[in-house]
Amino acid sequence: MDDLAVRRVGNGPEIVLVHGGAGPGATWAGLEALAERWTLVPVYRRGFAPSPPVRGRHDFLVDAQDLGEVFRGLRPHVVAHSYGVLGTLLAAVADPGSVRSLTLIEPPLYFLAERDADVVRLKELGDMVLLEGLDSEPEALREFLTLSGAPGVGAGPLPEAVTAAVRRAQYARLPGEIRVDLEVLRAKGIPAMVASGAHQPGIERICDELAAALHAERVIAPGAGHFVAAAPGFGDQLERFLSGGDLSPTDTSDICRRV
């Protein structure tokens, strides 16, 4: 895996944490208390130090290969966020026995609701930023960055950390290219939970459709925008789900909890 960085914190069953466009520190803030009873295993995707650089561009197909190696070595619970969900799902579909459960947070799986107007707008914004980067139309760029939870994107120059993140993400494989057979996971009985932060209608629609496709538990955790892990009460909901993670999806389907 070219020395892909994987950290371990805590004691107990492993929870592999797969971040998206933001690094593990920002993505998983709010879950620290779980390390008292679980082993948190944040993965650093390629291009995020101390992992090696990307092979040309960020690519969920490459992520899937990397993550497949991680999953097969541990058979963990997996919690994935945003772009990180794409590689996670591909790896899990390729080898369903490599994961104990899946918690999927606000993924850009546009194909699940591609005719929904809010999803169409979300895709347009995301594709623009990935294709044009800092040359994107300024107001649309700020709209996307706000949806993505980037700090300090109001009036005035964008923070240096934000501009660096936009440059890092530019030219990534577009999420609209993914097609994944979710029925494989549903048929294998992989327990799943789908979570969102109640801050953008298109994201909520995607998460609703994903939960239905997987017969997954559906959790809405407002208060932290795109960074749902930091929302009040989400850590407790996640731990409750993981503690019953050996239940079949038929035991937890069609449950929508607002925390």
Side-chain angles (χ1 to χ4, degrees), residues 167-189:
R167 291 191 184 98
R168 180 176 59 211
Q170 191 172 2
Y171 307 124
R173 185 180 293 275
L174 298 179
E177 295 181 27
I178 195 171
R179 292 293 187 274
V180 57
D181 187 0
L182 299 171
E183 176 60 26
V184 171
L185 301 175
R186 178 172 166 175
K188 291 290 185 179

Side-chain angles (χ1 to χ4, degrees), residues 39 128 200:
T39 300
M128 175 197 65
Q200 206 278 344

Side-chain angles (χ1 to χ4, degrees), residues 7-16 34-35 37-41:
R7 300 279 173 83
R8 298 177 66 88
V9 181
N11 295 283
E14 287 94 354
I15 306 173
V16 168
L34 270 64
R37 295 167 295 279
W38 306 81
T39 300
L40 303 182
V41 187

Side-chain angles (χ1 to χ4, degrees), residues 167-231:
R167 291 191 184 98
R168 180 176 59 211
Q170 191 172 2
Y171 307 124
R173 185 180 293 275
L174 298 179
E177 295 181 27
I178 195 171
R179 292 293 187 274
V180 57
D181 187 0
L182 299 171
E183 176 60 26
V184 171
L185 301 175
R186 178 172 166 175
K188 291 290 185 179
I190 306 299
M193 184 171 81
V194 178
S196 60
H199 63 103
Q200 206 278 344
I203 293 174
E204 295 302 311
R205 177 67 186 279
I206 289 170
C207 289
D208 289 344
E209 294 296 328
L210 178 59
L214 294 176
H215 273 190
E217 182 170 342
R218 179 75 170 90
V219 166
I220 301 172
H226 188 47
F227 292 108
V228 176

Side-chain angles (χ1 to χ4, degrees), residues 96-161:
S98 67
V99 298
R100 292 184 63 187
S101 72
L102 293 168
T103 298
L104 309 171
I105 303 173
E106 297 206 348
L109 292 169
Y110 306 131
F111 77 94
L112 291 174
E114 55 192 355
R115 296 185 180 181
D116 181 89
D118 292 310
V119 174
V120 169
R121 176 59 177 166
L122 185 64
K123 181 178 183 297
E124 289 174 347
L125 289 171
D127 287 356
M128 175 197 65
V129 174
L130 291 182
L131 292 170
E132 302 178 23
L134 295 171
D135 292 327
S136 302
E137 194 280 318
E139 290 306 312
L141 174 59
R142 290 181 190 274
E143 181 182 353
F144 177 80
L145 291 173
T146 299
L147 289 174
S148 300
V153 297
L158 294 174
E160 182 178 345

Side-chain angles (χ1 to χ4, degrees), residues 34-91:
L34 270 64
E36 297 177 6
R37 295 167 295 279
W38 306 81
T39 300
L40 303 182
V41 187
V43 173
Y44 290 72
R45 293 173 52 235
R46 293 182 184 276
F48 291 82
S51 280
V54 296
R55 302 166 181 167
R57 64 173 179 171
H58 286 283
D59 188 337
F60 54 76
L61 298 181
V62 175
D63 288 342
Q65 295 174 355
D66 289 339
L67 294 170
E69 294 291 333
V70 174
F71 298 165
R72 281 190 289 274
L74 296 173
R75 193 177 175 262
H77 297 285
V78 180
V79 182
H81 182 258
S82 195
Y83 196 91
V85 173
L86 308 184
T88 293
L89 282 175
L90 290 175

